[in-house]
Amino acid sequence: MFLTWVHMQSVQKASALSSRRILKDTEMPPKSVEGFSDWRDVWYRLDEGRGKVSLENLQNRIRPSTNNHQAIPKAVQVLRAADKTGKGYVEYAEFRDYYENELHQGSWERGVLARVALDIQDLTPQPDEEAIFRAWENLVNYVKASPNSLDFKWSWILPREYARDCLLYYVSYRSELVHPSRLSEWLMNAQAVDDLPNRAVIDLLEKCQTTIRRADTNRDGYIEYNEFLRFVRVKHAKFRGATVLRRGALAVLPRNAKSLENRRYIEEYSCWPPPLFMLLITLSEIITFIIYAVDMQLPTTGSGPCPTYSPLVFNPRRRYQAWRFLTYALIHSGWVHLVNNILVQLLLGVLLEMVHSWRIILIYLAGVAAGALANSLYMPSYYLAGASGGVYAVEYAHLSNLILNWSSMEYPLMQLLLILVVMSADLGYAIWDTYSSDVTATGHMAHFGGAVAGVLVGVLVLRNLEVERWEKYCRWISLGLFGALMVCGVLLQILLPMPDYFPDNDWSPMAEDREEWNHQQMWGLPRPG
């Protein structure tokens, strides 16, 4: 995943990097061979940032050209002569003494070192690692901006007169040493980390927890750029999309709350496969509304009329037609009723489906069915239309999600308070609407049934990122409660021992329902007979 992002970023930033590189190179412009009059000018071109020049890697840092193919081996020859102890590298003090005391002014040795110093590549990152280097650059800047006692102090090992601020730009960053704990701290707190792919940050955080010591391949207790480069490179992962959504989710997280658990939860947001169910059910409700608005041949207002003759509406006299306990959700009484429901289910349902995928279907349908059963038992002679049962199930499934994934959620306490406020407002309005008038057109029991189903089924089926023991018991309890309530609701519909509680079943052809509806719309009275 990180390498996929690297490839994209290297293309996008090509022009910006080229202009930036020119700017940085001008800080220490190349000099002519004659211009290298001081040993420091040559040293800071050859140096690797740690007070030594490695003879083994020198040729990898030089731009190959027709003019330097002889100079390179001669320069290595000169540096080997400066390496008095045969360590394989020339230290700061050695180079200074050798250059000043043993190489006379105008010697070919000084000339060849100057020639090679001009061709140093400045350790410019390769195209496939430019984005990784940008991340490393930001990490180094973060460490320098917030000093810590664990940070490496170059003053401990470098001569007093050694000026690291004279190093070339890329050499300076590549030579930095970062303590492993600072890498974890940067991933958790730095704002620039949010620009990295969330999957890449998760991989790095997980590695920091388990394999961070392996990154320090030379076992010096610190991570340098080459070690960081190997550490962050991971295999290509399938691009899952939802980048903008995840970026937005990160934006609302407090800086100290962007933990590995939170990022894992955000990573579950996926646009592929897309949240089809919530989109399809919303589209179905809109199409159904348009069809019946045309079929009724009456002006459709915000509050009606409702096509109660439809075979989709829950008709208390046709309870034996079991499909109505689900299909009533497709019918709405006026465009205000429709718009309210689809806005809520899209706003809350899509976010839930992007994490929990097909499980949202079970929650929605359970809420619709439970809403019909509850409303039929409480108001046995009332028609029922609208997706409110499913909408409330989706809405209150967020409470289940909060219970299951409390430690992985952003602002969990705030979300809980918001849900409690909504629950209190719903309950207060239901009580007021029920007792302030003799007749209410709102199926509050359908809302209540959907909400209960949303909580119980949500606890049962929603994804739990970190399963704890008590949550297993909670799921079994939810399964038992929901199963018992649904079985009781169905049995009471069939076997309730209260004569005349439900209206008599209407076994007439459904076409007569339309005739009766037309008669009521025209005369305001039931159809005779």
Side-chain angles (χ1 to χ4, degrees):
M1 185 69 182
F2 196 94
L3 293 180
T4 304
W5 177 76
V6 165
H7 175 71
M8 295 170 60
Q9 293 294 313
S10 62
V11 175
Q12 296 173 358
K13 295 184 177 180
S15 59
L17 285 173
S18 61
S19 61
R20 183 176 186 180
R21 192 173 299 126
I22 292 172
L23 175 63
K24 288 296 180 180
D25 288 345
T26 56
E27 295 176 2
M28 190 171 187
K31 301 182 180 182
S32 64
V33 175
E34 292 77 10
F36 284 95
S37 59
D38 190 275
W39 65 270
R40 292 183 180 86
D41 296 329
V42 178
W43 171 257
Y44 284 114
R45 283 281 178 173
L46 299 176
D47 181 33
E48 294 182 74
R50 301 203 173 103
K52 65 181 181 180
V53 176
S54 174
L55 305 181
E56 183 178 339
N57 296 326
L58 181 62
Q59 295 188 12
N60 296 330
R61 298 178 52 201
I62 301 174
R63 294 184 180 92
S65 69
T66 56
N67 298 323
N68 63 21
H69 68 280
Q70 292 182 340
I72 293 174
K74 288 184 179 180
V76 174
Q77 177 186 343
V78 173
L79 291 171
R80 288 193 188 281
D83 179 19
K84 303 292 187 180
T85 58
K87 300 182 294 295
Y89 54 86
V90 180
E91 294 181 326
Y92 176 85
E94 284 180 316
F95 184 88
R96 177 193 60 194
D97 294 339
Y98 182 76
Y99 193 96
E100 287 187 326
N101 300 327
E102 300 190 32
L103 303 182
H104 60 82
Q105 192 78 20
S107 66
W108 71 268
E109 289 90 351
R110 284 194 178 189
V112 77
L113 289 177
R115 170 69 267 178
V116 170
L118 281 173
D119 293 334
I120 288 294
Q121 295 183 37
D122 193 13
L123 294 180
T124 305
Q126 298 299 315
D128 64 337
E129 64 177 90
E130 283 180 344
I132 300 178
F133 187 83
R134 297 280 79 78
W136 171 259
E137 179 185 35
N138 182 269
L139 169 60
V140 171
N141 290 338
Y142 173 82
V143 169
K144 289 183 176 180
S146 55
N148 187 291
S149 60
L150 297 174
D151 296 339
F152 189 83
K153 305 295 189 300
W154 285 107
S155 58
W156 297 348
I157 63 172
L158 295 178
R160 182 171 299 176
E161 70 271 21
Y162 185 86
R164 279 181 57 84
D165 56 354
C166 293
L167 291 173
L168 297 174
Y169 174 69
Y170 288 114
V171 174
S172 176
Y173 277 97
R174 281 176 177 263
S175 63
E176 282 295 332
L177 297 177
V178 176
H179 194 274
S181 65
R182 300 286 267 157
L183 176 58
S184 302
E185 179 185 332
W186 172 70
L187 289 168
M188 295 283 287
N189 299 321
Q191 184 174 0
V193 175
D194 295 345
D195 294 327
L196 300 179
N198 192 56
R199 181 69 257 172
V201 177
I202 291 174
D203 289 339
L204 291 177
L205 283 170
E206 289 175 341
K207 285 184 176 183
C208 286
Q209 289 185 348
T210 57
T211 61
I212 185 63
R213 294 185 180 277
R214 300 180 188 175
D216 180 20
T217 54
N218 61 7
R219 299 295 186 269
D220 63 357
Y222 293 88
I223 299 173
E224 58 183 281
Y225 174 69
N226 288 333
E227 293 172 336
F228 179 78
L229 185 64
R230 290 190 294 269
F231 182 67
V232 302
R233 276 182 163 161
V234 295
K235 295 181 179 180
H236 287 263
K238 182 179 179 182
F239 181 67
R240 299 181 63 192
T243 302
V244 174
L245 182 66
R246 292 182 189 134
R247 188 68 180 84
L250 284 171
V252 301
L253 278 172
R255 181 59 49 194
N256 60 357
K258 294 183 181 177
S259 63
L260 176 58
E261 291 73 20
N262 286 347
R263 286 186 176 273
R264 280 175 176 161
Y265 183 82
I266 292 172
E267 183 62 18
E268 297 304 320
Y269 280 79
S270 174
C271 288
W272 191 262
L276 288 177
F277 176 74
M278 295 312 304
L279 298 178
L280 289 177
I281 195 67
T282 298
L283 184 61
S284 301
E285 291 166 4
I286 294 173
I287 292 175
T288 304
F289 181 81
I290 294 173
I291 290 174
Y292 278 100
V294 174
D295 186 65
M296 287 187 294
Q297 299 179 351
L298 291 173
T300 301
T301 67
S303 58
C306 180
T308 55
Y309 63 85
S310 170
L312 304 178
V313 168
F314 180 80
N315 186 337
R317 296 184 301 167
R318 295 184 182 272
R319 291 177 296 108
Y320 59 89
Q321 295 172 336
W323 70 80
R324 293 177 182 265
F325 284 86
L326 294 176
T327 57
Y328 77 91
L330 298 173
I331 302 295
H332 288 83
S333 178
W335 60 265
V336 171
H337 189 202
L338 173 70
V339 170
N340 285 340
N341 280 341
I342 64 176
L343 284 179
V344 176
Q345 71 187 25
L346 285 176
L347 181 64
L348 300 178
V350 168
L351 290 175
L352 208 60
E353 187 177 359
M354 292 180 74
V355 175
H356 302 280
S357 62
W358 54 268
R359 297 166 181 83
I360 196 70
I361 303 176
L362 301 179
I363 294 173
Y364 192 89
L365 295 180
V368 171
L373 288 172
N375 195 77
S376 178
L377 290 172
Y378 183 71
M379 306 175 74
S381 61
Y382 278 69
Y383 286 78
L384 184 62
S388 297
V391 170
Y392 270 75
V394 170
E395 180 180 339
Y396 282 82
H398 281 268
L399 178 60
S400 305
N401 188 38
L402 198 62
I403 294 172
L404 295 176
N405 298 298
W406 180 273
S407 62
S408 301
M409 300 290 288
E410 65 273 17
Y411 292 129
L413 184 59
M414 184 177 295
Q415 291 193 41
L416 178 61
L417 291 175
L418 181 61
I419 291 174
L420 292 177
V421 169
V422 172
M423 291 174 62
S424 301
D426 280 341
L427 181 61
Y429 174 73
I431 294 174
W432 174 83
D433 188 49
T434 300
Y435 293 101
S436 63
S437 60
D438 295 334
V439 179
T440 176
T442 305
H444 294 296
M445 284 305 296
H447 299 175
F448 178 74
V452 171
V455 173
L456 295 179
V457 178
V459 169
L460 183 62
V461 304
L462 289 179
R463 297 181 65 183
N464 190 350
L465 301 183
E466 294 184 26
V467 180
E468 298 183 18
R469 187 173 182 179
W470 68 269
E471 292 172 339
K472 295 180 181 179
Y473 295 126
C474 192
R475 283 186 163 176
W476 282 108
I477 293 172
S478 296
L479 175 61
L481 282 176
F482 180 73
L485 289 174
M486 293 299 289
V487 169
C488 288
V490 172
L491 292 178
L492 288 174
Q493 292 284 332
I494 302 172
L495 305 173
L496 185 67
M498 295 177 63
D500 301 326
Y501 184 78
F502 292 111
D504 295 334
N505 287 327
D506 183 357
W507 302 95
S508 64
M510 285 187 289
E512 294 186 9
D513 288 341
R514 182 182 178 85
E515 294 179 13
E516 181 176 354
W517 186 86
N518 286 331
H519 191 85
Q520 288 180 341
Q521 296 301 317
M522 183 177 297
W523 303 105
L525 296 172
R527 177 173 56 87

